[in-house]
Amino acid sequence: MLSLPNPDDLVFFVNGRKVIEKNADPEVNLLFYLREVLHLTGTKYGCGGGGCGACTVMVSRYDPKTKKIHHYPVTACLVPICSLYGAAVTTVEGVGSIKTRIHPVQERLAKCHGTQCGFCSPGMVMSIYTLLRNHPEPTPEQITKALGGNLCRCTGYRPIVESGKTFCEESTVCQMKGSGKCCMDQEERSFVTRQKKICTKLYDKDEFQPFDPSQEPIFPPELIRMAEDPNKRRLTFRGERTAWITPVTLDDLVELTANFPKAPVVMGNTTVGPNVKFRDEFHPVSISPIGLPELYFADSTANGVTIGAGYSLAQLNDALHFIVSEQPKEKTKTYRALLKHLRTLAGTQIRSMATLGGHVVSRPNFSDLNPILAAGNAVINLISKESQRQIPLDGPFLERSPEADLKSGEIVFSVDIPHSTQWHFVSGLRQAQRLENSFAIVNAGMSVKFEDGTNTIKDLQMYYGSVGPTVVSASHTCRQLIGRQWNDQMLSDACRLVLDEIYIPPAAEGGMVEYRRTLIISLLFKFYLKVRRGLNKLDPQKFPDIPETFMSALEDFPLETPEGFQMFQCVDPHQSPQDPVGHPLMHQSAIKHTTGEAVYCDDLPSISQELSLAVVTSTRAHAKIISIDVSEALTLPGVVDVITAEDVPGDNNYKGEVLFAQNEVICVGQIVCTVAADTYAQAREAAKKVKVTYEDIEPRIITIEQALEHNSFLSEERKIEQGNVEEAFKHVDQIIEGEMHVEGQEHFYMETQTFLAIPTTEDKEMVLYLGTQHPTYAQEFVAAALNVPRNRIACHMKRAGGAFGGKLTKPALLGAICAVAANKTGRPIRFILERGDDMLITAGRHPLLGKYKVGFMNNGVIKAADVEYYINGGCTVDESQMVLEFIVLKSENAYYIPNFRCRGKACKTNLPSNTAFRGFGFPQVTVVVEAYVAAVATQCDLLPEEVKEINMYKRISKTAYNQTFNPEPLRRCWKECLEKSSFHARKLDAEEYNKKNYWKKRGLAVVPIKYSIAVPVGHLSQAAALVHIYLDGSVFVTHGGCELGQGLYTKMIQVASRELNIPLSYIHLPETSTITVPNTVRTAGSMGTDINGRAVQNACRILMARLQPIIRKNPKGKWEDWISKAYAESISLSTTGYFGGYHTHMDWKKEEGEPFPYYVYGVSCSEVEIDCLTGAHKLLRTDIFMDAAFSINPAVDIGQIEGAFIQGMGLYTIEELKYSPEGVLYSRSPDDYKIPTVTEIPEELYVTLVYSRNPIAIYSSKGLGEAGMSLGSSVFFAINDAVSAARRERGLTKTFTLNSPATPEEIRMTCADRFTDMIPRDDPSTFTPWSIRVS
């Protein structure tokens, strides 16, 4: 390597302050630097790959050419600090702070209830803030677009979008099509009783501080001077292993590329960065021409446009929009095709970072732009030290043919994109798992040129992405078709030819082989139709138009800005103004969430001598451990120790859960050992050097089917039965049998599993800070592992960045592993799981196989059902037995079937143990129950909603396990949902739409639920609280519940405020800890508010009873006076409160009991549109009616319902876990696992809290954290309805099974047609598939 000069100082600004880094390391990214060096912890780690937006910050640069300042959002995890020379970085702390002044963006996101766990909130703030810096009065579309790269797992996005829309010129909350009337006006609502007034405002816009764009911080003048300095020179930065060189002229750049031909030219770092981090690429030298003026331009010529290689994709987007607005339509077909794909390519942050040159030259096989550029005859302009030349951006280049590639020392200077012509058609087509920010499953760029005035093909080009290791050109097919006319016969031949030419092997990486084959020709058909339509517009006489019923196939689903309306019971006007119960209060930490000042576990400052921990996990599903060689790992710098099973002082196997694998491994992802080092980077590198030798053990059981073959179960069968099922089957008109698969789900909490363990020097004490739903369970595991009494272990839990069941049992196991490392090293240990490790190790929702046999009469009355459920529990019991019991108990849902039997078993497999997940089995059950009810409807020629109504519980009844309940609120929710959603009218509209559209179909479905609360074991719903009143009148409250984003602390403060009759501002609730409240139960089962509220209420009432004599003597006194007097009279101002739990029980021998204190009822109606050619779907509208009884905080409850609904929608549609046949989880990042983004949520979402009475729970409320999850199944069944319409029209069988999730693949392949019939099919016995279904 050539010798390099001494390193330069790195100069940039952060939040207006100058940063001079004398030892800038090219391997350090901005996220690490902000958090670890500058201690700005508002910017969060969510995934480390730019896929979640949690680390979004704003970068501002001055352009000396235009004299303008350019603000753009970036994901800090992908920004090397060395790329920031001369830039200004703004983080969430620089936008506003509770210590100084909060910014309107932060205030409105908080007050519009756009935060729950708050972990994504700083990123959301920065995305909206950056938009406002560029567009102070944005459009709603710009808001939605700006948020496309930010993931949120809690809120369901609607309130986040709404907060952004408050900056738009005019409010767009309610659009009653110009009538001037609100669509939800009071007189329109027949269901509102005179006594119960309905409110629709969750916040008051008048409280918002005004937004004044002129008050934003100025760009540092020093950076302007630096940018305009005529004597700029080359910069060099050097770390321990790598160097980073920034040239200042084009000549300098080509000189460097000649000297370092293997060095990557890094601009946005969106390709090199992830490859270095996740694929262990290493580059000793990187060359970064960021800001080099010669690379940033867009020049129009007579024949087209030339774009500089340095233009970001966002700048390319702006340039193309300008050209499209200036040029006639016929010239801009290529540009418009590019713009369509630029809208959905990645998120705004990545589009702002990635460059055209980088995208073109890296040639990812999934590229959305390169196929279009190739089809549009783009040309790449190259420069090197020796010469300049042009190469076509064509098939050989994209397929990496050596003769068509860049030569050593060459770089991309610019790209020429020619204008299209009148008889030239160019299109981009794609299909991905979700609409936005998702790699294409298959994409294409296609173009055709005709002989002028004819439909005779003169030139044809087709390029496909994601069908092989590179983008593929169908050149042979295209050559065969030249001279042919553009007609149906040509299409038929083209489909046959292209399937022959582009062969996807049956075991191809990425799977979905038959679907991808189908997409190849489905996208070709779409192009064929578009061109037919275009020819018709050119000469309607000569070229007939496509059929009217085919028109909608041409249109992609629009990315609309979501609208919403929320309705809830107003507070009684006679209620005391000071009483906060029933009011839609903001989350008590919301402002801190949006300013980045809410402290999560990993935000705690470093402690002296602290070490970081990295894991070594098993690569085999079932194997004997022959040896663990840690010798090389221990020699690496910074490594302190390697911890194995031998180092556990107590139980390494506690309650069947294994801390460190010992002798054998039982799943891929099981922890074998951990490495403790001075930094995480050192620990991670050392972990890679640990060598584990295995010997495979048979059997290796991965799927439920394999478990059933080997009789492999985790626990005994559970069963409930009523009536005489066998006898009833003899007396019914019809019997159907079927089975359904429901795949698992990843929790994808935004904050990964996080721990800080601090050993003390005396008494074997250990303090843990962690994000958990069950501090006592973590305390129990740590004590068992360390072999000490539990009173030596203190677990502190302030807040978690989401949990959803994934932080119930797993933190106990991982916390114990962390504590063992702290115990062995005698030093504090910080243990933060990377996203990929978290997804691999902690597993998620149980995949389920449901089998049913149902007997019914021809009028739709179901007389008998025999149902079996099998869940994939993984390798240890974890929560599988309880999940299974819940599945069996909830298996009837809302329907009375007089003869009903349900049996369930948890299968033991060699997968990581599945665990608790919001809904606890019910979301899986819901789809099976609704599926067989829908199947009955099909057999009886009735509508599904008719059969549901016929069989729904109607009066006070007993469940199959003999518990009495009153379904009246269910009936009310059902009736109101059908009425208020205009279900029947919209169903007719959808039928009409379906008659007129062959390739797009609409479907509607309405789903009722009867959701049980709490747990069947009474003592597991006990709770305690501790309340202190201090002499200044301030009140300290703590309890056993955990704040996970669900607003539990907020509601507890409301309870204390009402009970003590003091303002909210007097009350402080800091954390949950095993020191203050011992022996806590889980925060789960939707019972957090129920049980902890009772405990807080009990404590407050005890204190008020003590204060009563003083208050009676001085009834008009102030609270502070009463407290002072009480103290003077030696009255204790501290007490514990206690709630003994619900009297629930279940006798599994008798198959009866009262396992649940009460039920939550709800109904949702959803309408979708599907694209039968691609399998894409769009959720048009959802109406949710939820029996909330009396809501303690409607804003929190509606937030929980909406968030759960969107999470459920994800489970049933796009969230797909992929496993290899060997049990390896492929889905380990937001690149591979797609949760809903802002574009997946309903275009219209209406939520109504239906009032009822629930004397069992505090203030007659109900627990609403989970019920909404299963309502997401209305989207699944709306898709099912649309697929059914397509199949009917195609003359296919009425009965079919759509398995969950209803992915684009599932939808497309179930909408069978001539294209699915055309593709080659492989004999499954001749190959091993890339991925398998584990349900």
Side-chain angles (χ1 to χ4, degrees):
M1 189 169 106
L2 294 172
S3 63
L4 291 167
N6 289 331
D8 291 289
D9 289 352
L10 174 66
V11 180
F12 63 108
F13 277 68
V14 176
N15 298 334
R17 293 187 174 184
K18 187 175 181 179
V19 175
I20 302 175
E21 179 54 60
K22 295 196 172 293
N23 302 299
D25 186 343
E27 293 189 274
V28 169
N29 63 49
L30 176 58
L31 176 61
F32 177 90
Y33 195 83
L34 291 172
R35 292 182 61 83
E36 304 299 327
V37 179
L38 301 181
H39 307 296
L40 296 170
T41 55
T43 308
K44 305 299 182 199
Y45 166 83
C47 71
C52 71
C55 64
T56 302
V57 298
M58 183 176 82
V59 172
S60 306
R61 291 183 188 272
Y62 175 76
D63 184 346
K65 261 203 309 194
T66 62
K67 309 287 187 195
K68 286 184 179 171
I69 293 152
H70 178 45
H71 306 289
Y72 57 98
V74 302
T75 48
C77 66
L78 287 183
V79 177
I81 55 163
C82 295
S83 70
L84 291 169
Y85 186 88
V89 175
T90 306
T91 72
V92 70
E93 292 93 342
V95 172
S97 163
I98 48 177
K99 298 185 185 88
T100 52
R101 182 187 74 93
I102 63 168
H103 190 278
V105 171
Q106 296 166 321
E107 177 197 34
R108 296 183 193 187
L109 183 61
K111 289 184 176 174
C112 292
H113 313 291
T115 85
Q116 285 184 25
C117 84
F119 202 79
C120 74
S121 302
M124 296 289 180
V125 165
M126 293 314 301
S127 288
I128 299 172
Y129 176 77
T130 309
L131 173 67
L132 294 179
R133 291 300 300 265
N134 293 313
H135 302 280
E137 281 192 350
T139 63
E141 292 71 30
Q142 286 174 319
I143 295 286
T144 309
K145 186 177 177 182
L147 294 171
N150 293 74
L151 298 181
C152 172
R153 197 52 155 163
C154 295
T155 65
Y157 298 101
R158 194 266 320 152
I160 299 172
V161 175
E162 204 163 291
S163 77
K165 280 161 62 177
T166 63
F167 295 98
C168 299
E169 203 164 354
E170 58 186 74
S171 170
T172 52
V173 172
C174 180
Q175 301 175 317
M176 197 50 187
K177 316 297 181 263
S179 69
K181 286 176 69 179
C182 173
C183 55
M184 296 288 178
D185 267 345
Q186 196 89 24
E187 61 268 23
E188 303 284 324
R189 299 191 219 117
S190 58
F191 65 90
V192 179
T193 62
R194 286 191 181 86
Q195 298 82 23
K196 303 292 174 201
K197 194 180 168 202
I198 295 295
C199 285
T200 57
K201 277 175 71 175
L202 288 172
Y203 56 89
D204 185 355
K205 284 206 278 194
D206 295 339
E207 288 183 8
F208 296 161
Q209 56 175 313
F211 171 54
D212 182 355
S214 68
Q215 297 304 300
E216 298 300 348
I218 62 163
F219 186 77
E222 183 179 343
L223 294 182
I224 297 176
R225 290 194 295 274
M226 283 167 59
E228 293 185 332
D229 179 4
N231 303 313
K232 278 188 268 192
R233 59 181 180 79
R234 179 193 290 183
L235 298 169
T236 305
F237 306 109
R238 278 219 308 266
E240 283 182 24
R241 308 193 308 158
T242 60
W244 180 281
I245 311 172
T246 302
V248 287
T249 64
L250 196 56
D251 290 343
D252 196 16
L253 172 60
V254 295
E255 172 87 27
L256 284 167
T257 53
N259 291 341
F260 301 102
K262 292 198 171 155
V265 177
V266 181
M267 298 284 273
N269 201 44
T270 55
T271 299
V272 174
N275 285 348
V276 167
K277 177 160 188 184
F278 300 115
R279 295 183 181 88
D280 290 330
E281 279 187 12
F282 178 69
H283 304 288
V285 176
S286 296
I287 301 165
S288 178
I290 284 182
L292 201 61
E294 294 95 327
L295 296 179
Y296 293 82
F297 63 91
D299 291 341
S300 281
T301 65
N303 299 320
V305 61
T306 302
I307 306 286
Y311 251 33
S312 71
L313 299 185
Q315 289 170 311
L316 171 66
N317 181 73
D318 294 343
L320 293 177
H321 268 297
F322 177 75
I323 292 157
V324 166
S325 70
E326 295 279 301
Q327 294 287 348
K329 215 170 178 184
E330 66 182 41
K331 289 188 174 184
T332 62
K333 292 167 195 166
T334 306
Y335 312 140
R336 282 182 279 126
L338 288 166
L339 284 169
K340 181 166 77 82
H341 281 194
L342 280 166
R343 172 63 186 88
T344 56
L345 190 154
T348 310
Q349 300 91 325
I350 299 297
R351 293 196 293 267
S352 299
M353 298 161 70
T355 58
L356 175 61
H359 187 84
V360 163
V361 82
S362 60
R363 285 165 283 182
N365 69 328
F366 50 78
S367 166
D368 282 338
L369 304 184
N370 287 347
I372 300 170
L373 290 167
N377 300 313
V379 172
I380 304 169
N381 298 304
L382 303 174
I383 55 166
S384 66
K385 197 173 179 185
E386 285 74 38
S387 65
Q388 300 183 13
R389 69 184 182 109
Q390 292 187 319
I391 59 171
L393 202 168
D394 59 5
F397 172 76
L398 293 176
E399 290 166 6
R400 298 181 185 271
S401 297
E403 68 277 4
D405 214 338
L406 278 69
K407 294 173 185 167
S408 178
E410 284 187 324
I411 62 160
V412 177
F413 174 65
S414 62
V415 179
D416 296 340
I417 313 172
H419 292 325
S420 53
T421 57
Q422 188 176 29
W423 294 93
H424 179 204
F425 297 90
V426 185
S427 271
L429 307 109
R430 77 190 300 270
Q431 178 56 41
Q433 192 78 348
R434 67 181 177 209
L435 291 174
E436 181 175 21
N437 197 5
S438 179
F439 294 139
I441 297 165
V442 172
N443 58 17
M446 299 185 188
S447 73
V448 61
K449 270 185 188 164
F450 296 106
E451 302 287 354
D452 285 7
T454 74
N455 69 344
T456 303
I457 299 169
K458 182 178 177 183
D459 182 50
L460 178 63
Q461 297 187 70
M462 294 192 289
Y463 298 91
Y464 285 96
S466 295
V467 294
T470 66
V471 170
V472 176
S473 167
S475 51
H476 176 72
T477 300
C478 294
R479 280 196 300 274
Q480 298 266 89
L481 295 170
I482 286 173
R484 297 280 299 272
Q485 290 190 313
W486 197 260
N487 56 28
D488 288 355
Q489 185 55 51
M490 183 283 303
L491 170 70
S492 186
D493 292 344
C495 290
R496 182 177 46 77
L497 286 165
V498 78
L499 285 172
D500 285 344
E501 183 173 4
I502 299 178
Y503 174 67
I504 305 174
E509 186 177 338
M512 300 186 280
V513 171
E514 291 183 356
Y515 175 45
R516 287 196 281 166
R517 289 171 180 168
T518 305
L519 281 177
I520 288 172
I521 52 176
S522 294
L523 296 182
L524 172 56
F525 177 59
K526 281 194 170 232
F527 179 61
Y528 169 76
L529 292 177
K530 285 181 181 191
V531 174
R532 280 269 311 268
R533 184 98 179 91
L535 287 169
N536 171 260
K537 283 184 177 172
L538 286 173
D539 190 340
Q541 304 303 317
K542 204 177 209 180
F543 308 114
D545 206 348
I546 63 174
E548 189 68 32
T549 54
F550 283 24
M551 287 294 184
S552 60
L554 305 180
E555 298 150 22
D556 286 339
F557 290 127
L559 301 178
E560 300 285 357
T561 303
E563 303 285 349
F565 223 90
Q566 307 81 43
M567 304 204 295
F568 55 96
Q569 182 198 345
C570 299
V571 170
D572 188 321
H574 301 111
Q575 183 172 312
S576 160
Q578 187 173 285
D579 182 352
V581 171
H583 289 281
L585 297 187
M586 176 175 72
H587 190 291
Q588 55 108 21
S589 291
I591 298 289
K592 287 183 285 186
H593 291 158
T594 60
T595 61
E597 289 163 289
V599 177
Y600 298 82
C601 190
D602 192 31
D603 299 336
L604 294 168
S606 294
I607 298 167
S608 173
Q609 294 192 299
E610 177 184 295
L611 300 174
S612 291
L613 205 62
V615 290
V616 176
T617 56
S618 164
T619 56
R620 306 288 180 88
H622 193 197
K624 186 178 175 186
I625 297 174
I626 304 299
S627 66
I628 303 172
D629 180 359
V630 302
S631 54
E632 188 182 352
L634 287 169
T635 65
L636 293 184
V639 174
V640 172
D641 214 337
V642 176
I643 299 94
T644 68
E646 308 295 326
D647 300 311
V648 181
D651 291 338
N652 184 52
N653 183 334
Y654 182 68
K655 293 191 168 178
E657 303 298 324
V658 180
L659 273 61
F660 297 94
Q662 196 168 17
N663 303 323
E664 74 167 352
V665 292
I666 50 176
C667 69
V668 174
Q670 185 176 10
I671 293 173
V672 176
C673 60
T674 58
V675 180
D678 291 335
T679 69
Y680 179 69
Q682 291 168 334
R684 188 169 173 262
E685 280 307 306
K688 292 175 193 171
K689 303 297 182 189
V690 174
K691 296 180 180 69
V692 186
T693 310
Y694 301 100
E695 186 182 288
D696 285 333
I697 300 172
E698 291 297 329
R700 181 181 63 210
I701 299 169
I702 307 300
T703 68
I704 289 176
E705 189 182 333
Q706 290 166 352
L708 296 179
E709 274 174 34
H710 289 91
N711 210 24
S712 176
F713 299 105
L714 287 164
S715 56
E716 60 195 43
E717 180 182 271
R718 288 290 187 237
K719 179 171 84 78
I720 56 169
E721 187 169 359
Q722 71 176 1
N724 188 328
V725 174
E726 307 304 339
E727 189 62 27
F729 278 131
K730 296 174 186 173
H731 302 288
V732 293
D733 294 334
Q734 296 186 59
I735 292 174
I736 53 167
E737 294 188 56
E739 68 176 45
M740 187 157 182
H741 295 266
V742 185
E743 290 302 308
Q745 185 179 24
E746 160 62 30
H747 298 96
F748 213 95
Y749 28 68
M750 292 303 293
E751 176 200 35
T752 61
Q753 301 274 355
T754 308
F755 308 86
L756 177 60
I758 307 166
T760 64
T761 53
E762 55 182 315
D763 298 331
K764 296 185 178 177
E765 291 177 350
M766 181 80 68
V767 178
L768 273 90
Y769 294 89
L770 69 169
T772 178
Q773 296 171 250
H774 201 342
T776 294
Y777 197 60
Q779 179 192 42
E780 178 185 349
F781 264 68
V782 172
L786 299 184
N787 196 23
V788 298
R790 294 192 201 179
N791 62 6
R792 309 298 164 87
I793 309 298
C795 291
H796 295 271
M797 159 60 191
K798 192 171 186 70
R799 59 172 61 85
F804 317 114
K807 293 179 181 172
L808 189 57
T809 60
K810 300 299 182 181
L813 190 73
L814 294 164
I817 286 167
C818 183
V820 167
N823 180 71
K824 186 182 182 190
T825 60
R827 292 167 66 174
I829 296 281
R830 193 176 293 256
F831 183 25
I832 316 294
L833 280 187
E834 285 197 66
R835 177 64 63 185
D837 288 333
D838 191 300
M839 293 179 76
L840 176 67
I841 293 165
T842 65
R845 186 181 297 283
H846 290 74
L848 173 140
L849 169 62
K851 298 184 176 188
Y852 57 82
K853 179 180 177 184
V854 180
F856 53 96
M857 310 308 288
N858 289 332
N859 63 0
V861 175
I862 299 172
K863 292 289 190 181
D866 190 2
V867 192
E868 292 174 62
Y869 290 115
Y870 300 96
I871 58 172
N872 192 326
C875 58
T876 64
V877 174
D878 199 283
E879 292 286 272
S880 292
Q881 182 62 16
M882 190 181 273
V883 168
L884 181 78
E885 290 177 0
F886 273 56
I887 282 171
V888 172
L889 290 170
K890 297 171 188 237
S891 58
E892 56 180 16
N893 190 14
Y895 306 109
Y896 172 66
I897 300 173
N899 304 283
F900 181 81
R901 177 166 60 217
C902 178
R903 290 168 286 186
K905 273 191 169 183
C907 297
K908 183 178 183 179
T909 62
N910 295 115
L911 290 179
S913 298
N914 286 304
T915 188
F917 201 134
R918 194 180 208 167
F920 223 73
F922 187 59
Q924 297 97 302
V925 167
T926 305
V927 275
V928 180
V929 176
E930 293 298 313
Y932 66 65
V933 171
V936 168
T938 301
Q939 293 300 115
C940 296
D941 280 327
L942 294 168
L943 295 171
E945 52 276 12
E946 290 174 329
V947 174
K948 291 176 192 191
E949 188 146 357
I950 288 165
N951 292 285
M952 203 180 294
Y953 277 107
K954 296 179 177 64
R955 59 191 68 82
I956 293 176
S957 309
K958 287 193 171 181
T959 63
Y961 44 85
N962 213 25
Q963 181 166 357
T964 303
F965 73 103
N966 184 356
E968 188 273 333
L970 169 67
R971 305 293 304 173
R972 199 142 39 96
C973 288
W974 175 261
K975 181 171 178 286
E976 296 197 7
C977 186
L978 291 177
E979 281 178 17
K980 295 298 161 190
S981 69
S982 308
F983 178 82
H984 295 295
R986 285 168 52 216
K987 185 100 173 171
L988 292 173
D989 291 345
E991 285 170 14
E992 201 56 38
Y993 178 88
N994 292 342
K995 282 179 199 165
K996 294 175 181 173
N997 295 276
Y998 188 83
W999 296 110
K1000 289 236 176 95
K1001 297 294 177 192
R1002 287 186 179 168
L1004 280 89
V1006 58
V1007 171
I1009 60 158
K1010 170 178 123 272
Y1011 187 78
S1012 58
I1013 297 300
V1015 290
V1017 183
H1019 71 266
L1020 293 183
S1021 57
Q1022 63 182 294
L1026 176 65
V1027 179
H1028 303 318
I1029 305 173
Y1030 294 96
L1031 290 181
D1032 62 353
S1034 64
V1035 174
F1036 170 99
V1037 176
T1038 187
H1039 53 82
C1042 297
E1043 179 55 59
L1044 314 165
Q1046 82 283 42
L1048 176 62
Y1049 283 14
T1050 308
K1051 286 185 174 181
M1052 294 306 95
I1053 292 170
Q1054 287 177 275
V1055 169
S1057 172
R1058 168 179 273 193
E1059 295 298 331
L1060 298 175
N1061 196 22
I1062 56 174
L1064 294 161
S1065 59
Y1066 282 39
I1067 302 160
H1068 180 54
L1069 204 168
E1071 67 166 9
T1072 301
S1073 162
T1074 54
I1075 293 175
T1076 50
V1077 178
N1079 312 321
T1080 58
V1081 299
R1082 58 183 59 200
T1083 303
S1086 302
M1087 62 182 183
T1089 297
D1090 284 20
I1091 64 173
N1092 293 292
R1094 286 283 200 204
V1096 170
Q1097 180 186 51
N1098 177 242
C1100 292
R1101 287 182 174 179
I1102 289 168
L1103 290 168
M1104 287 304 282
R1106 292 176 188 169
L1107 291 171
Q1108 273 313 305
I1110 287 163
I1111 295 170
R1112 276 198 294 271
K1113 287 177 189 169
N1114 181 15
K1116 293 190 177 170
K1118 286 165 64 182
W1119 169 257
E1120 290 83 350
D1121 299 336
W1122 297 336
I1123 299 309
S1124 297
K1125 183 68 173 162
Y1127 182 72
E1129 293 190 11
S1130 299
I1131 293 172
S1132 171
L1133 295 172
S1134 172
T1135 192
T1136 56
Y1138 187 68
F1139 172 62
Y1142 291 119
H1143 301 298
T1144 53
H1145 58 91
M1146 180 66 198
D1147 187 330
W1148 285 103
K1149 285 198 175 102
K1150 293 181 179 173
E1151 298 177 16
E1152 65 178 35
E1154 295 204 354
F1156 307 114
Y1158 63 88
Y1159 299 94
V1160 169
Y1161 307 97
V1163 177
S1164 69
C1165 165
S1166 291
E1167 180 176 7
V1168 303
E1169 188 172 319
I1170 65 167
D1171 184 330
C1172 303
L1173 282 167
T1174 62
H1177 80 273
K1178 180 69 177 160
L1179 179 49
L1180 302 174
R1181 174 174 168 177
T1182 293
D1183 297 75
I1184 296 173
F1185 287 76
M1186 187 70 86
D1187 156 43
F1190 172 77
S1191 173
I1192 291 174
N1193 186 326
V1196 165
D1197 287 341
I1198 288 169
Q1200 287 294 288
I1201 292 163
E1202 289 184 357
F1205 173 83
I1206 297 301
Q1207 199 173 50
M1209 180 196 78
L1211 162 69
Y1212 299 122
T1213 56
I1214 60 173
E1215 295 186 36
E1216 188 175 23
L1217 290 165
K1218 297 280 182 80
Y1219 293 89
S1220 78
E1222 294 75 38
V1224 178
L1225 175 67
Y1226 293 128
S1227 318
R1228 296 194 209 174
S1229 77
D1231 286 351
D1232 314 312
Y1233 185 79
K1234 297 300 175 187
I1235 70 170
T1237 63
V1238 68
T1239 46
E1240 266 66 49
I1241 71 173
E1243 289 180 8
E1244 298 174 75
L1245 175 59
Y1246 304 112
V1247 178
T1248 301
L1249 300 185
V1250 178
Y1251 177 77
S1252 66
R1253 297 193 182 278
N1254 184 33
I1256 295 166
I1258 185 167
Y1259 306 146
S1260 191
S1261 63
K1262 284 194 174 184
L1264 299 173
E1266 296 172 285
M1269 187 92 200
S1270 298
L1271 292 179
S1273 65
S1274 62
V1275 180
F1276 178 89
F1277 287 101
I1279 290 170
N1280 195 83
D1281 187 45
V1283 169
S1284 186
R1287 289 176 62 88
R1288 272 197 307 275
E1289 189 169 28
R1290 288 151 179 73
L1292 297 165
T1293 54
K1294 284 200 299 187
T1295 52
F1296 65 96
T1297 301
L1298 195 70
N1299 288 307
S1300 174
T1303 59
E1305 177 185 19
E1306 187 81 6
I1307 295 167
R1308 175 65 187 99
M1309 300 314 286
T1310 313
C1311 290
D1313 55 32
R1314 57 180 160 140
F1315 298 114
T1316 54
D1317 291 344
M1318 240 184 241
I1319 63 162
R1321 310 265 176 167
D1322 301 287
D1323 178 353
S1325 66
T1326 61
F1327 67 95
T1328 301
W1330 179 78
S1331 69
I1332 57 170
R1333 184 165 65 190
V1334 298
S1335 65

